[in-house]
Amino acid sequence: MSSDTKTENSRGGFGSKIGFILAAAGSAVGLGNIWRFPYLAARYGGGIFLLIYLILAITFGFTMMLTEIALGRKTGKSVLGAYKEADKRFAPLGWLAAAVPAIILPYYCVIGGWVLKYMCMFITGNGGDAANSQFAAGSGSSLTFFEHYISLLGQPTLFFVLYVLIGSVAVLLGVEKGIEKVSKILMPVLLVLIIIIAGYTLTMDGAMDGLKYYVLPDFTDFTVTKLLKTIAAAVGQLFYSMSLAMGIMVTYGSYMRKSDSLEGSVRQIEVFDTAVAFLAGMVIVPSVFVFSKGDPAALNAGPGLMFITLPKVFDSMPGGQIIGAAFFLLVSLAALTSSISLMETVVAAVMEKTKMSRSVSCFAVIAFTIIVGMLSVMGYSVWSDFELMGMQILDFFDFISNNIFMPILAFFTCILFGYVIKTKYVEDEVKVNGDKFRSVHLYRIMIKVFCPICMIIILLTPFVTDI
Ligand code: PFF
């Protein structure tokens, strides 16, 4: 393999095309696919949501991901340097793109810690506790296991720190020896696990009705407003799921070999990400459907579906302890590869700006993550009365990153590549290895018109609807 097949600079890089695809898919496949996608699909009319999501994935998702990876590969820099090199006036976008993963990483690891705790409970055969325990909270009210658990300080802190340390090993080891190796092992394991679990849940009595509920479109009371809400929810989910507008794909792109196909790789990452989200829905929706005897209220549990409803479902099914352990192992692995990508993005920016070594930068980012993450841990325990804009600290970090900073970053990214330096910048990078850019017309119209409109919808949605 000639030296130009790797990135030209000394920052290291992925050693193979499959290594890059699996690492990027590892970033994309995360809590968003397993925890968020199924409850959104259940809430927004099953098949209609799936169909809209799919169309958006191959158009909007494809365009945004391709742009970010192309920017990274062309410049060979972290987000800070990449946006600046593309156009000096857009350098602040690089700072925004570094700030987003720095805000997300700490709270994402806090949630990763919760998942780790659930996994340990099911592995040690105590999944029933997670499912059944009701804790008295005074004046006759009671808390679920989950609510009780996150209100504690000691254990959530322990699992959070443990989770950060596990993820940081891959980042410390570097791109090829750490991130690529870990992704090459974990992603196939993850795929096999989810196929087995989905296969098992579909054999349960009544599961087929749950599957129908999940995949067949429900047109009852379907209005234009509902359609618009479904589209907004699908765009938001896509954004979240494909790790867009958080600097990750720019950073991973900067480690991608020039000889590998950009367009083909993006298509494969998309297929992987969407397949895992779809399969996660095939596990969760039918099993909750069977457990609740088709009660729509159970399926509309929203964010609590995975942490509150699902443990009860596992506890009630034959072999549920093993399936529960496998499921939470799956979620832990998916979340781990995503947090590795968030951490790598921040570490790469710190290394580039400060010229410190990878290990020193990594330790600085670990310390930052633990300190800032503790705010989120404490926000649910000792500081539970403290609110920012009416939200708990963790929810506030999630809101400003996902609903404000990311759409702003994506919007200006579209303006930069659609109108300022023009689409040729990305088109040339796609063709650099001699490939044809097959979806070039789709790309142009998307980046100039459709994607910026989607971003405006996302920015406005939280203020005008209850999505
Ligand atoms: N794409 C990953 C997921 O679906 O979980 C990673 C991620 C998305 C992390 C969004 C954080 C975030 F806010």
Side-chain angles (χ1 to χ4, degrees), residues 87-389:
D87 188 303
K88 272 214 164 53
R89 292 164 297 174
F90 281 73
L93 277 195
W95 285 96
L96 192 57
V100 171
I103 296 171
I104 294 178
L105 174 65
Y107 84 76
Y108 199 80
C109 291
V110 173
I111 305 176
W114 300 343
V115 176
L116 211 54
K117 163 78 183 177
Y118 271 69
M119 182 187 88
C120 292
M121 290 191 76
F122 274 96
I123 286 181
T124 54
N126 296 316
D129 291 347
N132 298 322
S133 313
Q134 292 287 326
F135 293 84
S139 62
S141 63
S142 65
L143 299 174
T144 62
F145 170 83
F146 177 61
E147 290 160 339
H148 172 74
Y149 177 71
I150 58 174
S151 71
L152 302 173
L153 187 59
Q155 275 207 33
T157 303
L158 180 78
F159 279 100
F160 156 59
V161 173
L162 198 65
Y163 181 88
V164 174
L165 296 180
I166 297 172
S168 52
V169 175
V171 182
L172 262 170
L173 287 171
V175 181
E176 192 170 357
K177 292 206 182 81
I179 300 170
E180 181 167 351
K181 273 224 166 81
V182 168
S183 310
K184 274 181 164 168
I185 300 168
L186 296 191
M187 294 318 285
V189 171
L190 188 143
L191 201 59
V192 171
L193 263 180
I194 198 158
I195 291 173
I196 293 175
I197 303 174
Y200 180 80
T201 45
L202 288 181
T203 59
M204 290 186 304
D205 267 355
M208 282 305 147
D209 291 328
L211 185 64
K212 277 190 204 145
Y213 178 90
Y214 177 50
V215 295
L216 295 181
D218 170 17
F219 285 108
T220 40
D221 312 325
F222 206 75
T223 57
V224 174
T225 324
K226 205 163 168 194
L227 178 68
L228 286 176
K229 282 187 176 185
T230 308
I231 294 177
V235 177
Q237 172 58 19
L238 198 74
F239 214 16
Y240 193 99
S241 187
M242 291 199 172
S243 299
L244 301 172
M246 48 183 94
I248 294 174
M249 292 302 161
V250 179
T251 310
Y252 275 16
S254 74
Y255 302 134
M256 187 186 181
R257 302 186 309 187
K258 289 275 186 201
S259 55
D260 291 335
S261 156
L262 222 158
E263 193 176 2
S265 301
V266 172
R267 290 288 182 210
Q268 289 180 38
I269 299 164
E270 274 183 330
V271 169
F272 205 118
D273 186 59
T274 310
V276 174
F278 180 71
L279 285 167
M282 253 166 78
V283 172
I284 295 180
V285 179
S287 52
V288 174
F289 193 90
V290 170
F291 171 77
S292 67
K293 303 197 174 47
D295 176 13
L299 286 156
N300 274 325
L305 196 60
M306 191 175 91
F307 287 110
I308 298 172
T309 319
L310 211 55
K312 292 186 193 149
V313 176
F314 289 141
D315 196 43
S316 73
M317 59 162 79
Q321 288 294 323
I322 298 171
I323 291 294
F327 178 82
F328 283 104
L329 169 68
L330 165 84
V331 187
S332 303
L333 299 183
L336 198 67
T337 45
S338 296
S339 45
I340 288 172
S341 70
L342 286 163
M343 186 178 271
E344 174 62 26
T345 304
V346 184
V347 167
V350 171
M351 277 165 63
E352 191 175 282
K353 199 73 208 161
T354 62
K355 309 272 178 277
M356 290 192 302
S357 68
R358 171 170 284 272
S359 43
V360 176
S361 307
C362 198
F363 285 120
V365 173
I366 294 172
F368 166 84
T369 308
I370 292 178
I371 293 167
V372 179
M374 278 313 293
L375 300 178
S376 292
V377 174
M378 294 201 283
Y380 275 114
S381 63
V382 285
W383 291 348
S384 58
D385 290 334
F386 180 76
E387 288 189 342
L388 286 164
M389 287 167 66

